[in-house]
Amino acid sequence: MRRVSWFLLMAFVLSATNVLADYEKLTKKNYEKSGNEKVVVIYGVNWGRKWGCAGFENAQLQSLTFSRIDAGSNSFDGETIALKTPSILFVDDVFNSHAIIVDPGEYALIGFDIKAAKSVRDVGHFIAKSKDLFKDGKAVAGTFTANAGEVVYIGEFGLDCVTNEPIPWRYYIEKADFDHFISGFKEEYKFMADKQVVYRLFQTDKIGTAP
């Protein structure tokens, strides 16, 4: 079972990487402005290099892209969460936690980029786009759902190295450790102290397992 320990995730990153117009970092000002119309999403991500990964000298997750699904048409409605590594070289092999504010809805993973190196001179990328991860109106890799007014924890994203090639993987904090983890979140974001946090993992049968 692939999971992460809560003590690796107590350092919350106050600014989400590469924030676009479709979402904002969680701040008291932004939260109060959003009211109950939007959602707070808590997630972790590990941008660090994994050495000896799936037959490569090293591999590194470079980006993840999620897009909101229009329930009526089963297509994307333009709302996108694009996460990118803050640095190719200067990132540690640890999970850091982030909290962002997004519009409510169901979001599908529609893209990723993984850099994989056999040597310093032999470097390539495993890239998946929406045509690979969203077919016939269905999300291939998985989705997460967040409703208006909720604060939702969706899991931790990193690399899996036990397959034939490196792939993204959704890890998670054990439910037994979740209260401790959320205590750290509320200590960092004191204005969220009275809010309930919903444990609702990114749902997938391809790049993650159930608790």
Side-chain angles (χ1 to χ4, degrees):
M1 183 178 295
R2 298 172 178 87
R3 58 198 182 191
V4 294
S5 300
W6 66 265
F7 59 81
L8 293 178
L9 298 151
M10 298 309 293
F12 280 85
V13 179
L14 291 176
S15 59
T17 55
N18 286 20
V19 175
L20 299 183
D22 293 341
Y23 63 100
E24 302 173 300
K25 67 180 181 180
L26 175 62
T27 66
K28 184 177 181 180
K29 180 179 179 180
N30 288 342
Y31 183 71
E32 291 176 346
K33 182 178 67 175
S34 70
N36 289 322
E37 296 178 357
K38 295 199 174 187
V39 184
V40 174
V41 174
I42 303 170
Y43 67 94
V45 63
N46 185 339
W47 298 117
R49 276 182 286 182
K50 292 286 187 182
W51 295 92
C53 183
F56 291 87
E57 182 181 89
N58 67 79
Q60 184 181 17
L61 185 62
Q62 303 278 278
S63 69
L64 293 167
T65 304
F66 303 85
S67 188
R68 192 170 68 168
I69 301 171
D70 182 279
S73 64
N74 281 335
S75 59
F76 308 135
D77 68 0
E79 295 287 332
T80 300
I81 302 171
L83 309 176
K84 294 184 180 181
T85 179
S87 172
I88 295 176
L89 297 177
F90 303 108
V91 285
D92 296 324
D93 182 14
V94 296
F95 289 89
N96 285 309
S97 294
H98 304 260
I100 58 176
I101 299 174
V102 303
D103 288 324
E106 182 181 18
Y107 289 80
L109 179 65
I110 64 160
F112 64 79
D113 181 357
I114 298 171
K115 179 173 69 70
K118 292 183 177 180
S119 67
V120 174
R121 292 186 176 87
D122 189 359
V123 180
H125 289 257
F126 291 95
I127 296 174
K129 298 183 179 181
S130 59
K131 63 182 178 64
D132 306 306
L133 299 180
F134 198 81
K135 298 180 178 180
D136 300 322
K138 295 182 180 180
V140 175
T143 66
F144 73 87
T145 302
N147 303 312
E150 287 187 324
V151 183
V152 180
Y153 167 75
I154 64 169
E156 320 293 319
F157 297 90
L159 287 183
D160 180 87
C161 295
V162 300
T163 54
N164 293 329
E165 60 187 42
I167 60 172
W169 196 262
R170 191 270 291 129
Y171 299 85
Y172 58 87
I173 299 169
E174 288 283 357
K175 289 184 177 179
D177 297 323
F178 190 61
D179 286 345
H180 200 142
F181 170 74
I182 293 305
S183 293
F185 165 74
K186 292 183 176 181
E187 179 63 26
E188 190 68 50
Y189 299 92
K190 292 181 172 58
F191 59 93
M192 303 293 291
D194 63 341
K195 304 300 179 182
Q196 179 184 4
V197 180
V198 180
Y199 187 97
R200 187 185 299 134
L201 298 179
F202 174 86
Q203 294 184 327
T204 179
D205 59 5
K206 301 294 185 183
I207 61 166
T209 59

